[in-house]
Amino acid sequence: MTASPRSSAPHGGPGPDGSGGRLVGVLLVLGGILSFQVGGSMAKTLFPLFGPLGTVSLRLWVAAIALCLISRPWRAAPDRGTLLIVVGYGLSIALMNMMFYLALDRLPLGVAVAVEFLGPLTLTFLGSRRALDMMLIAAVVLGLVLLLQPGSMLDRHGIDPVGVLYGMLGAVAWGTYILAGARISHRIDAAHGAAIGLAAGALAVTPVFLLTLPRAAAHPHAALVACGVALLSSALPYTLEMLALKRLQAREFGILTSLDPAVAALAGLVLLGEYLSPAQWAGILCIVVASVGGVLLRRPEAASTADLLEQEPIPEI
């Protein structure tokens, strides 16, 4: 959404550099999405040992340390006003990841990503009044009904309503993250902003991190897997998509990132053995179609990569 959560990309005007460059860009985006969802699948295997929040704390701390060492944000410290915005951005990162992992503990990966994907989708259609937009919003509603099957929530074998609630809260946090990311993108270098934001998010979960650290030290293999989760879900997809943005147009990038819920469902099936019903697959398809339609039908004046990323950036860090 992608499985979400990575980071807002820097603004710029990427231009396609031929069909070969475009193909490389497509492969880079797909690689980033796959990396993020594989990281999510690996994270879920750590829940029995560290719990969802403990896994989040390890991931955020490892990712923050790695990104700070790479970008060295202290070389260009932001002014006080920008720092406050970046700290708010970091807190939204922490909340978004906590809610996503709590949802992931109760829901299949594809369902959790699809529910949290409502955050950017809501911003995409916010204020829309066109008939086509209304049709796409109806597709989202239909997708949710098929995906969550409300009638089955009272069945202990059906979709967990608490997990759905966590996913909805994660969607709200994702929307907040998008708005905060759009504000800081005009004030500070994207890599520096992401590093400081991640550091703020890591500090916010420090109490959980300190409680989890002894268990991580007692299980070094699991701690290494947690490091792998941080790299697969943050550093690698961030890097791949930064490279992709130099090769793809805004709409191409938006269409590809809209595949996140579908890739998450496939990753959950292959890596975790999470089977979805045909109706749930149809629900994910409705959400993906609505997201792609939102990109394709966006007005030309909002079609730059900068505008696209302000409305629908890359999923969870």
Side-chain angles (χ1 to χ4, degrees), residues 258-310:
S258 297
L259 298 176
D260 242 323
V263 176
L266 288 172
L269 173 64
V270 174
L271 300 177
L272 299 173
E274 295 176 338
Y275 291 87
L276 301 181
S277 69
Q280 288 175 312
W281 279 105
I284 288 177
L285 179 61
C286 286
I287 292 173
V288 170
V289 168
S291 181
V292 172
V295 174
L296 290 176
L297 299 177
R298 186 168 292 134
R299 291 179 178 85
E301 60 269 20
S304 70
T305 301
D307 289 334
L308 175 66
L309 290 173
E310 285 180 11

mmCIF file of all heavy atoms in Angstrom, residues 258-310:
data_model
loop_
_atom_site.group_PDB
_atom_site.id
_atom_site.type_symbol
_atom_site.label_atom_id
_atom_site.label_comp_id
_atom_site.label_asym_id
_atom_site.label_seq_id
_atom_site.Cartn_x
_atom_site.Cartn_y
_atom_site.Cartn_z
ATOM 1 N N SER A 258 -0.444 1.728 -7.855
ATOM 2 C CA SER A 258 -1.813 1.319 -7.530
ATOM 3 C C SER A 258 -1.955 -0.195 -7.439
ATOM 4 O O SER A 258 -2.978 -0.701 -6.971
ATOM 5 C CB SER A 258 -2.791 1.861 -8.580
ATOM 6 O OG SER A 258 -2.798 3.269 -8.586
ATOM 7 N N LEU A 259 -0.944 -0.912 -7.880
ATOM 8 C CA LEU A 259 -0.992 -2.373 -7.838
ATOM 9 C C LEU A 259 -0.653 -2.929 -6.459
ATOM 10 O O LEU A 259 -0.701 -4.138 -6.250
ATOM 11 C CB LEU A 259 -0.013 -2.955 -8.879
ATOM 12 C CG LEU A 259 -0.290 -2.610 -10.337
ATOM 13 C CD1 LEU A 259 0.828 -3.179 -11.220
ATOM 14 C CD2 LEU A 259 -1.635 -3.161 -10.785
ATOM 15 N N ASP A 260 -0.291 -2.055 -5.527
ATOM 16 C CA ASP A 260 0.146 -2.502 -4.199
ATOM 17 C C ASP A 260 -0.788 -3.510 -3.533
ATOM 18 O O ASP A 260 -0.332 -4.550 -3.050
ATOM 19 C CB ASP A 260 0.335 -1.291 -3.284
ATOM 20 C CG ASP A 260 1.773 -1.152 -2.811
ATOM 21 O OD1 ASP A 260 2.396 -2.193 -2.567
ATOM 22 O OD2 ASP A 260 2.261 -0.030 -2.696
ATOM 23 N N PRO A 261 -2.115 -3.257 -3.452
ATOM 24 C CA PRO A 261 -2.975 -4.234 -2.777
ATOM 25 C C PRO A 261 -2.961 -5.611 -3.454
ATOM 26 O O PRO A 261 -2.984 -6.637 -2.757
ATOM 27 C CB PRO A 261 -4.372 -3.594 -2.867
ATOM 28 C CG PRO A 261 -4.103 -2.130 -2.996
ATOM 29 C CD PRO A 261 -2.863 -2.033 -3.831
ATOM 30 N N ALA A 262 -2.917 -5.624 -4.777
ATOM 31 C CA ALA A 262 -2.909 -6.903 -5.485
ATOM 32 C C ALA A 262 -1.605 -7.658 -5.238
ATOM 33 O O ALA A 262 -1.607 -8.881 -5.009
ATOM 34 C CB ALA A 262 -3.113 -6.676 -6.982
ATOM 35 N N VAL A 263 -0.481 -6.946 -5.275
ATOM 36 C CA VAL A 263 0.812 -7.586 -5.011
ATOM 37 C C VAL A 263 0.865 -8.089 -3.574
ATOM 38 O O VAL A 263 1.403 -9.169 -3.295
ATOM 39 C CB VAL A 263 1.973 -6.601 -5.291
ATOM 40 C CG1 VAL A 263 3.315 -7.229 -4.917
ATOM 41 C CG2 VAL A 263 1.987 -6.197 -6.763
ATOM 42 N N ALA A 264 0.285 -7.315 -2.640
ATOM 43 C CA ALA A 264 0.241 -7.746 -1.241
ATOM 44 C C ALA A 264 -0.545 -9.046 -1.095
ATOM 45 O O ALA A 264 -0.139 -9.954 -0.351
ATOM 46 C CB ALA A 264 -0.383 -6.651 -0.378
ATOM 47 N N ALA A 265 -1.670 -9.136 -1.805
ATOM 48 C CA ALA A 265 -2.472 -10.362 -1.732
ATOM 49 C C ALA A 265 -1.696 -11.553 -2.279
ATOM 50 O O ALA A 265 -1.738 -12.660 -1.718
ATOM 51 C CB ALA A 265 -3.777 -10.174 -2.506
ATOM 52 N N LEU A 266 -0.958 -11.339 -3.373
ATOM 53 C CA LEU A 266 -0.143 -12.413 -3.938
ATOM 54 C C LEU A 266 0.988 -12.808 -2.997
ATOM 55 O O LEU A 266 1.282 -13.999 -2.820
ATOM 56 C CB LEU A 266 0.423 -11.981 -5.289
ATOM 57 C CG LEU A 266 -0.578 -11.899 -6.456
ATOM 58 C CD1 LEU A 266 0.071 -11.266 -7.673
ATOM 59 C CD2 LEU A 266 -1.100 -13.298 -6.796
ATOM 60 N N ALA A 267 1.625 -11.803 -2.380
ATOM 61 C CA ALA A 267 2.710 -12.094 -1.432
ATOM 62 C C ALA A 267 2.171 -12.871 -0.233
ATOM 63 O O ALA A 267 2.816 -13.816 0.249
ATOM 64 C CB ALA A 267 3.370 -10.801 -0.974
ATOM 65 N N GLY A 268 0.998 -12.468 0.258
ATOM 66 C CA GLY A 268 0.398 -13.188 1.372
ATOM 67 C C GLY A 268 0.081 -14.633 1.010
ATOM 68 O O GLY A 268 0.265 -15.547 1.823
ATOM 69 N N LEU A 269 -0.373 -14.858 -0.222
ATOM 70 C CA LEU A 269 -0.698 -16.209 -0.680
ATOM 71 C C LEU A 269 0.557 -17.068 -0.782
ATOM 72 O O LEU A 269 0.613 -18.195 -0.264
ATOM 73 C CB LEU A 269 -1.404 -16.138 -2.032
ATOM 74 C CG LEU A 269 -1.679 -17.474 -2.733
ATOM 75 C CD1 LEU A 269 -2.634 -18.330 -1.920
ATOM 76 C CD2 LEU A 269 -2.237 -17.225 -4.138
ATOM 77 N N VAL A 270 1.585 -16.538 -1.448
ATOM 78 C CA VAL A 270 2.787 -17.329 -1.732
ATOM 79 C C VAL A 270 3.658 -17.508 -0.489
ATOM 80 O O VAL A 270 4.154 -18.609 -0.224
ATOM 81 C CB VAL A 270 3.607 -16.659 -2.861
ATOM 82 C CG1 VAL A 270 4.929 -17.383 -3.068
ATOM 83 C CG2 VAL A 270 2.810 -16.636 -4.155
ATOM 84 N N LEU A 271 3.845 -16.431 0.287
ATOM 85 C CA LEU A 271 4.802 -16.473 1.391
ATOM 86 C C LEU A 271 4.179 -16.853 2.733
ATOM 87 O O LEU A 271 4.880 -17.372 3.604
ATOM 88 C CB LEU A 271 5.490 -15.108 1.524
ATOM 89 C CG LEU A 271 6.273 -14.649 0.287
ATOM 90 C CD1 LEU A 271 6.844 -13.257 0.506
ATOM 91 C CD2 LEU A 271 7.401 -15.631 -0.040
ATOM 92 N N LEU A 272 2.893 -16.570 2.902
ATOM 93 C CA LEU A 272 2.254 -16.832 4.193
ATOM 94 C C LEU A 272 1.126 -17.848 4.109
ATOM 95 O O LEU A 272 0.551 -18.215 5.137
ATOM 96 C CB LEU A 272 1.712 -15.518 4.780
ATOM 97 C CG LEU A 272 2.756 -14.419 5.063
ATOM 98 C CD1 LEU A 272 2.050 -13.126 5.479
ATOM 99 C CD2 LEU A 272 3.727 -14.870 6.141
ATOM 100 N N GLY A 273 0.789 -18.288 2.895
ATOM 101 C CA GLY A 273 -0.300 -19.244 2.736
ATOM 102 C C GLY A 273 -1.653 -18.667 3.091
ATOM 103 O O GLY A 273 -2.545 -19.388 3.565
ATOM 104 N N GLU A 274 -1.834 -17.346 2.860
ATOM 105 C CA GLU A 274 -3.098 -16.681 3.176
ATOM 106 C C GLU A 274 -3.997 -16.705 1.938
ATOM 107 O O GLU A 274 -3.754 -15.987 0.969
ATOM 108 C CB GLU A 274 -2.844 -15.244 3.630
ATOM 109 C CG GLU A 274 -2.060 -15.169 4.934
ATOM 110 C CD GLU A 274 -1.727 -13.744 5.341
ATOM 111 O OE1 GLU A 274 -1.719 -12.861 4.460
ATOM 112 O OE2 GLU A 274 -1.462 -13.522 6.531
ATOM 113 N N TYR A 275 -5.017 -17.527 1.987
ATOM 114 C CA TYR A 275 -5.915 -17.682 0.848
ATOM 115 C C TYR A 275 -7.098 -16.737 0.979
ATOM 116 O O TYR A 275 -7.721 -16.644 2.040
ATOM 117 C CB TYR A 275 -6.413 -19.126 0.757
ATOM 118 C CG TYR A 275 -5.334 -20.110 0.369
ATOM 119 C CD1 TYR A 275 -4.525 -20.690 1.341
ATOM 120 C CD2 TYR A 275 -5.104 -20.435 -0.962
ATOM 121 C CE1 TYR A 275 -3.514 -21.585 0.987
ATOM 122 C CE2 TYR A 275 -4.108 -21.323 -1.325
ATOM 123 C CZ TYR A 275 -3.318 -21.890 -0.341
ATOM 124 O OH TYR A 275 -2.309 -22.762 -0.700
ATOM 125 N N LEU A 276 -7.396 -16.033 -0.100
ATOM 126 C CA LEU A 276 -8.564 -15.163 -0.149
ATOM 127 C C LEU A 276 -9.633 -15.804 -1.020
ATOM 128 O O LEU A 276 -9.332 -16.555 -1.947
ATOM 129 C CB LEU A 276 -8.180 -13.788 -0.713
ATOM 130 C CG LEU A 276 -7.109 -12.999 0.047
ATOM 131 C CD1 LEU A 276 -6.878 -11.650 -0.629
ATOM 132 C CD2 LEU A 276 -7.490 -12.813 1.505
ATOM 133 N N SER A 277 -10.872 -15.482 -0.721
ATOM 134 C CA SER A 277 -11.979 -16.009 -1.517
ATOM 135 C C SER A 277 -12.048 -15.278 -2.849
ATOM 136 O O SER A 277 -11.478 -14.182 -3.000
ATOM 137 C CB SER A 277 -13.296 -15.831 -0.763
ATOM 138 O OG SER A 277 -13.625 -14.440 -0.682
ATOM 139 N N PRO A 278 -12.729 -15.853 -3.847
ATOM 140 C CA PRO A 278 -12.898 -15.145 -5.135
ATOM 141 C C PRO A 278 -13.525 -13.763 -4.949
ATOM 142 O O PRO A 278 -13.148 -12.814 -5.641
ATOM 143 C CB PRO A 278 -13.821 -16.081 -5.922
ATOM 144 C CG PRO A 278 -13.526 -17.442 -5.383
ATOM 145 C CD PRO A 278 -13.263 -17.228 -3.919
ATOM 146 N N ALA A 279 -14.475 -13.641 -4.004
ATOM 147 C CA ALA A 279 -15.109 -12.333 -3.762
ATOM 148 C C ALA A 279 -14.093 -11.328 -3.238
ATOM 149 O O ALA A 279 -14.116 -10.150 -3.618
ATOM 150 C CB ALA A 279 -16.260 -12.488 -2.767
ATOM 151 N N GLN A 280 -13.189 -11.780 -2.380
ATOM 152 C CA GLN A 280 -12.173 -10.875 -1.849
ATOM 153 C C GLN A 280 -11.179 -10.450 -2.932
ATOM 154 O O GLN A 280 -10.747 -9.298 -2.970
ATOM 155 C CB GLN A 280 -11.442 -11.534 -0.674
ATOM 156 C CG GLN A 280 -12.306 -11.640 0.579
ATOM 157 C CD GLN A 280 -11.620 -12.404 1.689
ATOM 158 O OE1 GLN A 280 -11.069 -13.489 1.484
ATOM 159 N NE2 GLN A 280 -11.656 -11.853 2.890
ATOM 160 N N TRP A 281 -10.818 -11.368 -3.806
ATOM 161 C CA TRP A 281 -9.960 -11.002 -4.937
ATOM 162 C C TRP A 281 -10.666 -9.974 -5.823
ATOM 163 O O TRP A 281 -10.041 -9.015 -6.303
ATOM 164 C CB TRP A 281 -9.589 -12.239 -5.753
ATOM 165 C CG TRP A 281 -8.453 -13.035 -5.179
ATOM 166 C CD1 TRP A 281 -8.536 -14.221 -4.525
ATOM 167 C CD2 TRP A 281 -7.070 -12.674 -5.194
ATOM 168 N NE1 TRP A 281 -7.289 -14.626 -4.129
ATOM 169 C CE2 TRP A 281 -6.362 -13.705 -4.535
ATOM 170 C CE3 TRP A 281 -6.354 -11.594 -5.704
ATOM 171 C CZ2 TRP A 281 -4.980 -13.687 -4.372
ATOM 172 C CZ3 TRP A 281 -4.966 -11.580 -5.539
ATOM 173 C CH2 TRP A 281 -4.297 -12.601 -4.883
ATOM 174 N N ALA A 282 -11.966 -10.169 -6.017
ATOM 175 C CA ALA A 282 -12.734 -9.200 -6.801
ATOM 176 C C ALA A 282 -12.752 -7.844 -6.112
ATOM 177 O O ALA A 282 -12.683 -6.795 -6.768
ATOM 178 C CB ALA A 282 -14.163 -9.711 -7.016
ATOM 179 N N GLY A 283 -12.843 -7.842 -4.774
ATOM 180 C CA GLY A 283 -12.819 -6.583 -4.030
ATOM 181 C C GLY A 283 -11.494 -5.852 -4.194
ATOM 182 O O GLY A 283 -11.469 -4.629 -4.390
ATOM 183 N N ILE A 284 -10.391 -6.593 -4.129
ATOM 184 C CA ILE A 284 -9.071 -5.977 -4.335
ATOM 185 C C ILE A 284 -8.971 -5.419 -5.749
ATOM 186 O O ILE A 284 -8.440 -4.325 -5.967
ATOM 187 C CB ILE A 284 -7.960 -7.003 -4.054
ATOM 188 C CG1 ILE A 284 -7.866 -7.265 -2.550
ATOM 189 C CG2 ILE A 284 -6.612 -6.522 -4.602
ATOM 190 C CD1 ILE A 284 -6.853 -8.308 -2.161
ATOM 191 N N LEU A 285 -9.513 -6.161 -6.720
ATOM 192 C CA LEU A 285 -9.495 -5.688 -8.104
ATOM 193 C C LEU A 285 -10.269 -4.378 -8.238
ATOM 194 O O LEU A 285 -9.812 -3.446 -8.931
ATOM 195 C CB LEU A 285 -10.094 -6.754 -9.025
ATOM 196 C CG LEU A 285 -10.171 -6.385 -10.515
ATOM 197 C CD1 LEU A 285 -8.778 -6.128 -11.079
ATOM 198 C CD2 LEU A 285 -10.877 -7.493 -11.305
ATOM 199 N N CYS A 286 -11.412 -4.268 -7.573
ATOM 200 C CA CYS A 286 -12.202 -3.022 -7.622
ATOM 201 C C CYS A 286 -11.398 -1.847 -7.078
ATOM 202 O O CYS A 286 -11.419 -0.746 -7.650
ATOM 203 C CB CYS A 286 -13.490 -3.183 -6.819
ATOM 204 S SG CYS A 286 -14.754 -4.211 -7.606
ATOM 205 N N ILE A 287 -10.688 -2.062 -5.972
ATOM 206 C CA ILE A 287 -9.899 -0.986 -5.366
ATOM 207 C C ILE A 287 -8.745 -0.594 -6.277
ATOM 208 O O ILE A 287 -8.447 0.598 -6.450
ATOM 209 C CB ILE A 287 -9.406 -1.430 -3.977
ATOM 210 C CG1 ILE A 287 -10.601 -1.547 -3.019
ATOM 211 C CG2 ILE A 287 -8.368 -0.446 -3.425
ATOM 212 C CD1 ILE A 287 -10.263 -2.143 -1.669
ATOM 213 N N VAL A 288 -8.093 -1.573 -6.881
ATOM 214 C CA VAL A 288 -6.991 -1.275 -7.810
ATOM 215 C C VAL A 288 -7.502 -0.509 -9.025
ATOM 216 O O VAL A 288 -6.897 0.480 -9.455
ATOM 217 C CB VAL A 288 -6.291 -2.582 -8.249
ATOM 218 C CG1 VAL A 288 -5.320 -2.313 -9.400
ATOM 219 C CG2 VAL A 288 -5.542 -3.207 -7.077
ATOM 220 N N VAL A 289 -8.642 -0.950 -9.578
ATOM 221 C CA VAL A 289 -9.222 -0.274 -10.747
ATOM 222 C C VAL A 289 -9.583 1.163 -10.405
ATOM 223 O O VAL A 289 -9.335 2.096 -11.190
ATOM 224 C CB VAL A 289 -10.460 -1.042 -11.256
ATOM 225 C CG1 VAL A 289 -11.243 -0.196 -12.261
ATOM 226 C CG2 VAL A 289 -10.029 -2.352 -11.902
ATOM 227 N N ALA A 290 -10.151 1.382 -9.214
ATOM 228 C CA ALA A 290 -10.512 2.739 -8.809
ATOM 229 C C ALA A 290 -9.269 3.612 -8.668
ATOM 230 O O ALA A 290 -9.268 4.782 -9.067
ATOM 231 C CB ALA A 290 -11.277 2.700 -7.491
ATOM 232 N N SER A 291 -8.206 3.047 -8.126
ATOM 233 C CA SER A 291 -6.971 3.811 -7.963
ATOM 234 C C SER A 291 -6.352 4.151 -9.316
ATOM 235 O O SER A 291 -5.933 5.286 -9.565
ATOM 236 C CB SER A 291 -5.976 3.019 -7.110
ATOM 237 O OG SER A 291 -4.784 3.745 -6.930
ATOM 238 N N VAL A 292 -6.292 3.165 -10.212
ATOM 239 C CA VAL A 292 -5.772 3.414 -11.561
ATOM 240 C C VAL A 292 -6.623 4.452 -12.275
ATOM 241 O O VAL A 292 -6.110 5.368 -12.936
ATOM 242 C CB VAL A 292 -5.716 2.101 -12.373
ATOM 243 C CG1 VAL A 292 -5.375 2.384 -13.838
ATOM 244 C CG2 VAL A 292 -4.689 1.149 -11.783
ATOM 245 N N GLY A 293 -7.953 4.318 -12.131
ATOM 246 C CA GLY A 293 -8.848 5.287 -12.760
ATOM 247 C C GLY A 293 -8.639 6.684 -12.217
ATOM 248 O O GLY A 293 -8.680 7.666 -12.969
ATOM 249 N N GLY A 294 -8.386 6.783 -10.904
ATOM 250 C CA GLY A 294 -8.124 8.086 -10.316
ATOM 251 C C GLY A 294 -6.889 8.742 -10.897
ATOM 252 O O GLY A 294 -6.835 9.961 -11.075
ATOM 253 N N VAL A 295 -5.876 7.934 -11.206
ATOM 254 C CA VAL A 295 -4.653 8.463 -11.833
ATOM 255 C C VAL A 295 -4.922 8.866 -13.279
ATOM 256 O O VAL A 295 -4.554 9.956 -13.720
ATOM 257 C CB VAL A 295 -3.523 7.409 -11.778
ATOM 258 C CG1 VAL A 295 -2.307 7.890 -12.560
ATOM 259 C CG2 VAL A 295 -3.132 7.128 -10.327
ATOM 260 N N LEU A 296 -5.580 7.989 -14.028
ATOM 261 C CA LEU A 296 -5.807 8.253 -15.454
ATOM 262 C C LEU A 296 -6.725 9.442 -15.683
ATOM 263 O O LEU A 296 -6.572 10.178 -16.667
ATOM 264 C CB LEU A 296 -6.401 7.008 -16.116
ATOM 265 C CG LEU A 296 -5.466 5.808 -16.260
ATOM 266 C CD1 LEU A 296 -6.226 4.623 -16.846
ATOM 267 C CD2 LEU A 296 -4.282 6.155 -17.155
ATOM 268 N N LEU A 297 -7.694 9.632 -14.785
ATOM 269 C CA LEU A 297 -8.682 10.696 -14.970
ATOM 270 C C LEU A 297 -8.322 11.984 -14.258
ATOM 271 O O LEU A 297 -9.107 12.930 -14.279
ATOM 272 C CB LEU A 297 -10.053 10.211 -14.473
ATOM 273 C CG LEU A 297 -10.625 8.998 -15.203
ATOM 274 C CD1 LEU A 297 -11.929 8.560 -14.579
ATOM 275 C CD2 LEU A 297 -10.812 9.303 -16.690
ATOM 276 N N ARG A 298 -7.137 12.005 -13.635
ATOM 277 C CA ARG A 298 -6.714 13.239 -12.971
ATOM 278 C C ARG A 298 -6.553 14.342 -13.996
ATOM 279 O O ARG A 298 -6.090 14.121 -15.109
ATOM 280 C CB ARG A 298 -5.401 12.999 -12.227
ATOM 281 C CG ARG A 298 -4.948 14.175 -11.390
ATOM 282 C CD ARG A 298 -3.810 13.774 -10.466
ATOM 283 N NE ARG A 298 -4.313 12.853 -9.446
ATOM 284 C CZ ARG A 298 -3.688 11.737 -9.114
ATOM 285 N NH1 ARG A 298 -2.587 11.389 -9.713
ATOM 286 N NH2 ARG A 298 -4.194 10.968 -8.173
ATOM 287 N N ARG A 299 -6.917 15.537 -13.610
ATOM 288 C CA ARG A 299 -6.837 16.664 -14.534
ATOM 289 C C ARG A 299 -5.400 16.907 -14.958
ATOM 290 O O ARG A 299 -4.474 16.728 -14.164
ATOM 291 C CB ARG A 299 -7.402 17.927 -13.871
ATOM 292 C CG ARG A 299 -8.910 17.850 -13.646
ATOM 293 C CD ARG A 299 -9.423 19.104 -12.964
ATOM 294 N NE ARG A 299 -10.866 19.050 -12.794
ATOM 295 C CZ ARG A 299 -11.481 18.460 -11.776
ATOM 296 N NH1 ARG A 299 -10.766 17.848 -10.856
ATOM 297 N NH2 ARG A 299 -12.798 18.460 -11.686
ATOM 298 N N PRO A 300 -5.178 17.346 -16.212
ATOM 299 C CA PRO A 300 -3.814 17.533 -16.708
ATOM 300 C C PRO A 300 -2.972 18.431 -15.826
ATOM 301 O O PRO A 300 -1.785 18.206 -15.665
ATOM 302 C CB PRO A 300 -4.029 18.162 -18.094
ATOM 303 C CG PRO A 300 -5.386 17.714 -18.511
ATOM 304 C CD PRO A 300 -6.185 17.640 -17.242
ATOM 305 N N GLU A 301 -3.565 19.473 -15.215
ATOM 306 C CA GLU A 301 -2.764 20.405 -14.421
ATOM 307 C C GLU A 301 -2.243 19.762 -13.143
ATOM 308 O O GLU A 301 -1.380 20.304 -12.481
ATOM 309 C CB GLU A 301 -3.587 21.649 -14.056
ATOM 310 C CG GLU A 301 -4.839 21.374 -13.229
ATOM 311 C CD GLU A 301 -6.078 21.148 -14.090
ATOM 312 O OE1 GLU A 301 -5.901 20.829 -15.277
ATOM 313 O OE2 GLU A 301 -7.192 21.324 -13.581
ATOM 314 N N ALA A 302 -2.795 18.588 -12.778
ATOM 315 C CA ALA A 302 -2.331 17.908 -11.573
ATOM 316 C C ALA A 302 -1.551 16.654 -11.905
ATOM 317 O O ALA A 302 -1.380 15.778 -11.094
ATOM 318 C CB ALA A 302 -3.515 17.549 -10.679
ATOM 319 N N ALA A 303 -1.046 16.585 -13.133
ATOM 320 C CA ALA A 303 -0.441 15.337 -13.586
ATOM 321 C C ALA A 303 1.065 15.289 -13.434
ATOM 322 O O ALA A 303 1.686 14.359 -13.870
ATOM 323 C CB ALA A 303 -0.804 15.085 -15.055
ATOM 324 N N SER A 304 1.668 16.324 -12.843
ATOM 325 C CA SER A 304 3.112 16.268 -12.648
ATOM 326 C C SER A 304 3.445 15.266 -11.562
ATOM 327 O O SER A 304 2.623 14.930 -10.719
ATOM 328 C CB SER A 304 3.650 17.644 -12.241
ATOM 329 O OG SER A 304 3.222 17.960 -10.935
ATOM 330 N N THR A 305 4.677 14.778 -11.576
ATOM 331 C CA THR A 305 5.083 13.827 -10.555
ATOM 332 C C THR A 305 4.978 14.438 -9.173
ATOM 333 O O THR A 305 4.585 13.791 -8.211
ATOM 334 C CB THR A 305 6.538 13.385 -10.814
ATOM 335 O OG1 THR A 305 6.611 12.802 -12.103
ATOM 336 C CG2 THR A 305 7.004 12.388 -9.776
ATOM 337 N N ALA A 306 5.312 15.710 -9.035
ATOM 338 C CA ALA A 306 5.224 16.368 -7.731
ATOM 339 C C ALA A 306 3.799 16.338 -7.204
ATOM 340 O O ALA A 306 3.552 15.969 -6.058
ATOM 341 C CB ALA A 306 5.701 17.813 -7.849
ATOM 342 N N ASP A 307 2.842 16.707 -8.035
ATOM 343 C CA ASP A 307 1.446 16.702 -7.600
ATOM 344 C C ASP A 307 0.977 15.292 -7.301
ATOM 345 O O ASP A 307 0.236 15.052 -6.360
ATOM 346 C CB ASP A 307 0.538 17.323 -8.669
ATOM 347 C CG ASP A 307 0.753 18.826 -8.769
ATOM 348 O OD1 ASP A 307 1.181 19.421 -7.766
ATOM 349 O OD2 ASP A 307 0.496 19.388 -9.846
ATOM 350 N N LEU A 308 1.405 14.342 -8.138
ATOM 351 C CA LEU A 308 0.997 12.964 -7.921
ATOM 352 C C LEU A 308 1.476 12.470 -6.571
ATOM 353 O O LEU A 308 0.742 11.855 -5.804
ATOM 354 C CB LEU A 308 1.576 12.080 -9.038
ATOM 355 C CG LEU A 308 1.338 10.572 -8.895
ATOM 356 C CD1 LEU A 308 -0.139 10.259 -9.019
ATOM 357 C CD2 LEU A 308 2.147 9.802 -9.897
ATOM 358 N N LEU A 309 2.731 12.759 -6.238
ATOM 359 C CA LEU A 309 3.293 12.267 -4.998
ATOM 360 C C LEU A 309 2.728 13.001 -3.793
ATOM 361 O O LEU A 309 2.676 12.465 -2.695
ATOM 362 C CB LEU A 309 4.815 12.381 -5.032
ATOM 363 C CG LEU A 309 5.471 11.405 -6.009
ATOM 364 C CD1 LEU A 309 6.957 11.692 -6.111
ATOM 365 C CD2 LEU A 309 5.243 9.976 -5.596
ATOM 366 N N GLU A 310 2.290 14.255 -3.997
ATOM 367 C CA GLU A 310 1.658 14.952 -2.896
ATOM 368 C C GLU A 310 0.327 14.299 -2.547
ATOM 369 O O GLU A 310 -0.085 14.251 -1.407
ATOM 370 C CB GLU A 310 1.427 16.421 -3.255
ATOM 371 C CG GLU A 310 2.699 17.245 -3.224
ATOM 372 C CD GLU A 310 2.433 18.693 -3.578
ATOM 373 O OE1 GLU A 310 1.262 19.091 -3.635
ATOM 374 O OE2 GLU A 310 3.408 19.414 -3.791
#
